[in-house]
Amino acid sequence: MAAVTAALNPIAFQLGAIQVHWYGIIIASGVVLALVLAVREGQRLGIPEDDFYDYLLWAIPAAIVCARLYYVAFQWPYYFRHPGEIIAVWDGGIAIYGAIIGGFIALVVFCRQRHLKLWTMLDVISPTLIMAQGIGRWGNFMNQEAFGGVTSRAALVAQHIPAWIINQMNIGGAYRVPTFLYESLWDLSGFVLLMLLRHRPHLFKQGEVFLTYVIWYAAGRFVIEGLRTDSLMLGPIRISQLLSVLFLVAALVVLVARRRTKKLAWYWTSK
């Protein structure tokens, strides 16, 4: 039987009394890389670079607040008894769907303020967003969170998962299904797919890069969420699975309806 290796330290370094977590570093790295790629594509479409920097100033607080509110709402019995902890986001407790919703709302308002085309901005941002989501899941790896049910080391080895990942999946004395890894790989695969196909002639019309992102992410999240043990629940229903179904169906309906009712330009010719 393989020896159990100590879990990785989630603290990257300390500055006086301030602890800098790997989770934050990884999330920030994903955001910065997403910004760089979005700016590059925006330049091709004639979107000023400053618009992306300014939007980020809107999106980050909106995403954090909505991610926290989403989590608190579905853990309300606990926070009703401990209201002082509602703002304690540094202790954990945020939800990616809440962050996405917050960022989307911020983008709608921002585009109206700047007179930017919302669908074009969504098309530019969505491939880099799913990349950042895939990178961000490695913050969960460092924190030993977002995992699935109990499994065996042999089962993980059989999936050709590297030993350094398997060792970190020994949580509470048992090996766990690495759902963070599955979602990361799914998200990064979606990023590669969108980047390879985005500029193919006569494939995506304006707005459809974003709609494809929604469909891809929602489909994968629905399946992977069913493997997790820490899902936010509404009675017997996993909230993320419910939202995944709603978003997937809505994206498909909008995609078909726009193709049938609107004369849309092809994305690759957008200027």
Side-chain angles (χ1 to χ4, degrees), residues 5-230:
T5 303
L8 298 174
N9 187 352
I11 308 299
F13 57 90
Q14 191 159 338
L15 297 173
I18 300 174
Q19 292 182 330
V20 179
H21 290 246
W22 280 112
Y23 184 91
I25 293 174
I26 291 169
I27 294 292
S29 299
V31 170
V32 170
L33 183 55
L35 176 63
V36 170
L37 295 177
V39 166
R40 183 177 300 176
E41 178 67 4
Q43 290 174 337
R44 191 187 73 83
L45 300 178
I47 303 173
E49 182 176 344
D50 285 348
D51 283 336
F52 291 99
Y53 298 135
D54 293 344
Y55 166 63
L56 196 63
L57 296 177
W58 290 48
I60 290 177
I64 293 173
V65 170
C66 288
R68 183 59 172 177
L69 290 176
Y70 181 105
Y71 183 85
V72 169
F74 293 107
Q75 296 284 356
W76 183 242
Y78 174 84
Y79 287 103
F80 179 76
R81 298 191 303 272
H82 305 87
E85 297 182 23
I86 290 177
I87 63 171
V89 66
W90 50 86
D91 288 334
I94 59 175
I96 186 62
Y97 261 138
I100 293 172
I101 293 169
F104 177 79
I105 293 172
L107 184 62
V108 171
V109 177
F110 181 80
C111 286
R112 293 192 65 177
Q113 289 286 329
R114 294 294 180 91
H115 305 290
L116 298 170
K117 293 180 179 178
L118 176 61
W119 285 109
T120 300
M121 287 291 285
L122 287 169
D123 280 342
V124 171
I125 291 171
S126 52
T128 67
L129 173 59
I130 199 170
M131 176 208 64
Q133 291 173 247
I135 293 172
R137 281 301 176 192
W138 288 90
N140 298 134
F141 168 72
M142 295 301 301
N143 285 351
Q144 290 190 311
E145 59 190 12
F147 51 79
V150 174
T151 186
S152 66
R153 186 180 184 93
L156 298 177
V157 171
Q159 297 175 51
H160 305 289
I161 297 174
W164 57 273
I165 295 179
I166 294 176
N167 293 336
Q168 186 74 350
M169 287 296 98
N170 190 302
I171 303 170
Y175 287 99
R176 299 284 185 160
V177 174
T179 49
F180 90 90
L181 176 63
Y182 302 159
E183 187 166 338
S184 178
L185 293 175
W186 180 260
D187 290 349
L188 294 175
S189 297
F191 165 69
V192 171
L193 180 69
L194 288 175
M195 293 297 282
L196 289 176
L197 298 180
R198 183 163 61 178
H199 295 154
R200 292 288 296 273
H202 304 116
L203 181 61
F204 291 123
K205 291 197 172 184
Q206 289 178 6
E208 293 179 355
V209 176
F210 166 70
L211 293 172
T212 302
Y213 152 73
V214 174
I215 293 167
W216 181 273
Y217 177 71
R221 182 61 187 269
F222 177 85
V223 174
I224 296 167
E225 187 69 23
L227 302 175
R228 289 178 58 168
T229 59
D230 60 346

